[in-house]
Amino acid sequence: MIFRFIGIALIVICCFTAGAKASDRLKKYCESCNLIEEILNRTGIMIKYGSINIYGIISELKKSESLSGMDFIKNLPDDFENYSGGFSDLWQKAVNSDVNIGDEEKSFLISFGEKFGSADISGELSGIEMLSENIRITSEKRRQEYEKKGRLYRSAGLLAGIMTGILIL
């Protein structure tokens, strides 16, 4: 009988953990929007005041401690001289490899990588401003989604575990 209760407790814990993991994924999407907005802001500042090229900007972003949650930046090479392809190809592969970024955010970042370095300073800055506004809208949408569905996922996981436990009894 004691093993049955232990089994039921484990099932409840597993179901709650599954719900919490789904909720955590939504939270990571919210955080990634904020980090993408920070990337765009830093890039705009570096272009406007530092006149740094693409590779210098990537080098600076890789050094930033606050952007350590963005795995795709870590996946970009340190030395671009030995790479024969274009920057946008590297950027797209790196962005697609990051599992903590939602599909909508990935499409914004890929668009950014394709256009990055192809215009003059004012063109780059206006493109960054447009993407920043899109990310702000997406960030608000992700935050609302987390507020609504995060609690739902955690509660549903717990309730599913309890119901399964009751059925086993």
Side-chain angles (χ1 to χ4, degrees):
M1 189 68 170
I2 188 89
F3 291 118
R4 183 177 252 177
F5 287 120
I6 291 172
I8 291 171
L10 289 174
I11 289 171
V12 169
I13 290 170
C14 288
C15 290
F16 176 74
T17 303
K21 186 167 177 72
S23 174
D24 189 48
R25 184 179 34 129
L26 292 176
K27 187 176 182 180
K28 284 184 181 180
Y29 287 167
C30 289
E31 292 169 354
S32 72
C33 281
N34 294 334
L35 291 174
I36 292 169
E37 191 172 352
E38 184 178 342
I39 287 170
L40 293 173
N41 289 338
R42 284 177 181 234
T43 301
I45 289 169
M46 285 186 257
I47 289 172
K48 188 173 185 177
Y49 298 111
S51 298
I52 302 174
N53 66 10
I54 296 172
Y55 307 112
I57 290 171
I58 297 302
S59 176
E60 290 297 318
L61 291 175
K62 287 179 89 166
K63 292 177 189 175
S64 174
E65 290 290 324
S66 63
L67 298 176
S68 62
M70 300 304 286
D71 292 338
F72 80 92
I73 292 177
K74 297 175 201 169
N75 293 338
L76 292 168
D78 293 325
D79 183 18
F80 291 92
E81 292 177 12
N82 297 329
Y83 184 73
S84 60
F87 172 78
S88 63
D89 295 334
L90 278 173
W91 182 264
Q92 184 174 2
K93 287 177 188 173
V95 167
N96 284 328
S97 70
D98 197 334
V99 296
N100 294 325
I101 302 175
D103 291 336
E104 193 172 352
E105 294 86 345
K106 282 183 181 181
S107 68
F108 289 141
L109 284 170
I110 289 170
S111 170
F112 174 67
E114 289 171 350
K115 297 172 186 169
F116 195 45
S118 62
D120 61 347
I121 291 176
S122 63
E124 293 285 343
L125 293 175
S126 65
I128 287 171
E129 184 59 36
M130 181 191 70
L131 283 172
S132 291
E133 188 59 35
N134 287 337
I135 286 293
R136 281 187 209 103
I137 292 167
T138 304
S139 178
E140 181 61 25
K141 186 174 77 173
R142 294 288 189 195
R143 187 188 60 75
Q144 290 174 353
E145 183 180 29
Y146 174 69
E147 287 177 0
K148 289 179 184 176
K149 293 183 180 177
R151 184 179 300 148
L152 172 72
Y153 289 160
R154 290 186 300 272
S155 299
L158 180 63
L159 288 174
I162 290 172
M163 287 187 328
T164 305
I166 290 171
L167 289 174
I168 291 174
L169 276 177

